Structure formats: structure tokens, C-alpha cells
Amino acid sequence: ENPFMAVIRLAAASGGRGFPGAVPVLKAQSTVKVLEAGIVGSLDYKIVSAEKADDLFEWLKENKYNFGGDQKTLDHYIQKKWFFTTMKIDTKQMKKNADGSFAGEVTPTRFEFASEKLVYPLKITQLSVKDTTEALFYVQSPWKADLPGDMTYQYQWIPSLQASMGCTPEGLPGKGGQWLASIKDQIPATIEKGNALGFGFTAARRPQPNKDGRIATTLEWAKMLGDADMKLLSGEAAYTEVLPDMNAGLKEGDEKAQKLQQDRMEKESKEHPGGYLIRQAPAEDLEKLKLLKGHLQKGMFLTKLRKTFTKGEMEDDLFIVKAKLGDQEDKSEYEEILPTSPP
């Protein structure tokens, strides 16, 4: 019934040379289990589980993985019953140089896992951070996304919209005006709290660190994806609109030319009150948009957030939440660079 005692009895019964008082030293069986192994591109990977942090820590060392953390960090995820993915570069797919080093491209890696909440494993990322690290989050979800608590983008977004109102007499694009109207009673307290945290807004300037070195989150892109976006990804729609020529076909000196030009301008103003979307991008970048077609979905919100984390802000994992202020959900969109927003 006791495996340890069984080994002792077996050793005694087998004869051979013994030592008075000698007790066999047995190594406990490791709780680390390799659930899956394979090669993706140039990476040799293993998916493992563990019940004890010290077992996993030892397994990583024995298998020559470079892990700069401690057992406490591993235990943080073991207690949550998370799996771990370990990776090594498969040197067989690389070019070996004369000095013994290897050259080649490392495969970009995509991780997928099921979760009841949108979570980013921020704590384990802390291991590779000396002071701060900047992260860009591209979140596709049924709703506009935000970071929780004092990491919200609203400390920068609300004053940015307010400052932009005077530059957009036809109204803020992307329902920005509706958002400000829906939270008008909450705006003063929100701005006051942002200032108290040291997250004050300055037009045309990126947020600066507060007294603790922390930097406010910024919203950089947000849109509910529709038919036009899907056509853009597939190349069926143009990336930029063409500004019409008001003088096309008009002859210089024609008495009717000025009146016709004025009529054209009035017509265009009614049909395009917000003007034309004129933008440029390298042709190779536009071609790569097609790669996103299989990932982005119509009817989903795509949000881009920028956040610089201090090491102290990475003590736990990050849960991405629905964008809202109080009980008001933020559905405002942001495609264009507003005149007063950070470059």
C-alpha cells in the first residue's frame, strides 16, 4: 500500500551489500505533464500542466528552458489551473554560421484559448520588464473595449472630444457628441479624478508620466465593423476617396462657369457634409489588409488601446472590460485623428 516501504522491502530482500542505517533516497514523481508537443514554423513547442510550482520550475531547468522568473509567478497560474506553453527555436530549420550561431526568421505565434473573460496574462509578462513596457491592444468583441479601473482611456478620451468640438462645427464624427451628452453629469467628476491621478489632458501631446511614473491609457481606434470595412479588407472598396474637381469641364472666361462651380460645391456639401476621406498608405500595406479578412468579423467592435505599464501595475493579470462610464455604455467610434488629439 505504501510505495516507499515496498521499495525498502524489495531492496532488503534482494541481498547484496548494505550499510547500517542507510535509507534509500527516492525522488518524488513530478506533477508536470506534457499534454501536446509539435513544431510550428521554426518553433518547437510543448503544452504542459503542473500541480506544483517547484516541479514545473525544476522541469524547465532540466529541459534547458530559459525562464527568468520564480516559483511564485508559476504558482500564480498553477492555482488558476492554467496550462503553460514552452518554446524553443528548432535549429534544424535555421542556417548555421561558421561561428556556431544560427540565422533565420522566428515564426510569429498566435495563442488561442477559451475563457469566460477577456484576460491578458500580464503578471508573467512582468518578468521581462525592467521599469516599463508599452503594449498595444487590438480587441475584437461585441462591444467597445476598455481597460479596468484607473487604467480607463476616458481620462484622455473625454477631454479630447471636448477640445475637438470647436474644430468640428458639423459635429463630432463617430457619435462623439452623443457620448458626451449621455455622460454630461459624470464628466466633471471624471475629469477631476483624472487630474488627481496626474492624468491631465494636453492637446496634441501624448500623456506624460505622473508622480508614480504611470501613464494614462489612450484610445487610438474604435469602430463597429460593417459592410464597407469588409469590402475594404477584401480589396472591393477603395482605401481613399477621390476629391472631385469643381472646375472639371469649365472654360476659363465662361460667364456661367462661376455659377456652375457654385452649384457643384453646394451639391457636394449636401452629399458629403463631413467632407471626403482622403488618406494614403503604402501599396504593400494595403495588400496585407486581406490577411485580416479571415479574422475580423462584421458586426464586431474593433478597439485599439495603447497603455504603458509600470512594473508595479503588473502584479496581476489584466481583464479587458466593456467601455462604459457608470451605467452608460460608450459606443463612440474613432477613425480619424482629431485636430487636438495626440499625434
Side-chain angles (χ1 to χ4, degrees), residues 7-8 11 20 47 70 75-76 91 105 108 115 123-124 129 149 163 174 188 203 210 220 239 243 286 296 317 330:
V7 172
I8 292 177
I47 299 176
D70 53 20
D75 191 58
H76 173 84
T91 54
E105 295 184 358
S115 175
K123 183 172 178 61
I124 201 167
V129 175
N210 66 7
E220 301 208 345
Y239 179 71
L243 191 66
L286 294 178
L296 300 182
D317 295 324
D330 183 2

Side-chain angles (χ1 to χ4, degrees), residues 81-299:
K81 300 188 183 302
W82 278 41
F83 296 153
F84 298 82
T85 302
T86 63
M87 289 185 169
K88 292 180 181 179
I89 295 176
D90 181 14
T91 54
K92 294 179 181 179
Q93 301 187 49
M94 313 291 276
K95 179 183 178 181
K96 189 172 183 179
N97 299 318
D99 61 359
S101 63
F102 293 88
E105 295 184 358
V106 178
T107 309
T109 308
R110 172 179 171 175
F111 290 88
E112 286 187 337
F113 59 93
S115 175
E116 294 180 355
K117 297 180 179 180
L118 281 174
V119 57
Y120 177 78
L122 190 64
K123 183 172 178 61
I124 201 167
T125 308
Q126 184 189 51
L127 301 176
S128 59
V129 175
K130 182 179 180 181
D131 297 309
T132 63
T133 184
E134 185 176 69
L136 285 175
F137 295 94
Y138 295 83
V139 185
Q140 181 179 231
S141 57
W143 26 260
K144 186 179 178 182
D146 196 4
L147 302 189
D150 291 342
M151 293 184 186
T152 176
Y153 63 74
Q154 295 293 351
Y155 296 133
Q156 297 293 303
W157 180 234
I158 292 174
S160 176
L161 289 175
Q162 289 178 315
S164 300
M165 290 182 68
C167 306
T168 53
E170 71 280 358
L172 289 172
K175 304 176 184 177
Q178 291 94 314
W179 171 237
L180 291 180
S182 68
I183 59 168
K184 61 180 181 179
D185 295 334
Q186 303 181 64
I187 290 178
T190 303
I191 299 296
E192 183 179 354
K193 185 175 181 181
N195 290 336
L197 290 168
F199 294 157
F201 172 79
T202 303
R205 185 183 181 190
R206 288 206 177 276
Q208 299 299 300
N210 66 7
K211 61 181 180 61
D212 299 317
R214 299 187 175 185
I215 299 175
T217 304
T218 52
L219 174 69
E220 301 208 345
W221 206 87
K223 191 177 188 297
M224 178 71 76
L225 301 176
D227 288 326
D229 302 295
M230 297 298 103
K231 290 181 179 179
L232 179 62
L233 294 179
S234 63
E236 299 175 56
Y239 179 71
T240 181
E241 294 180 318
V242 179
L243 191 66
D245 182 3
M246 297 293 102
N247 298 316
L250 300 182
K251 295 181 180 180
E252 187 176 351
D254 189 338
E255 295 181 359
K256 297 181 180 181
Q258 187 174 359
K259 176 64 170 59
L260 185 56
Q261 183 187 58
Q262 185 65 31
D263 290 343
R264 287 179 177 179
M265 293 179 65
E266 291 179 1
K267 180 175 180 294
E268 292 297 332
S269 180
K270 291 179 181 179
E271 294 180 354
H272 297 83
Y276 287 80
L277 183 59
I278 308 298
R279 52 188 181 180
Q280 295 179 335
E284 57 270 24
D285 288 353
L286 294 178
E287 183 65 24
K288 289 178 181 178
L289 285 176
K290 295 179 181 178
L291 299 175
L292 298 174
K293 187 177 179 182
H295 304 290
L296 300 182
Q297 302 175 34
K298 176 185 173 182

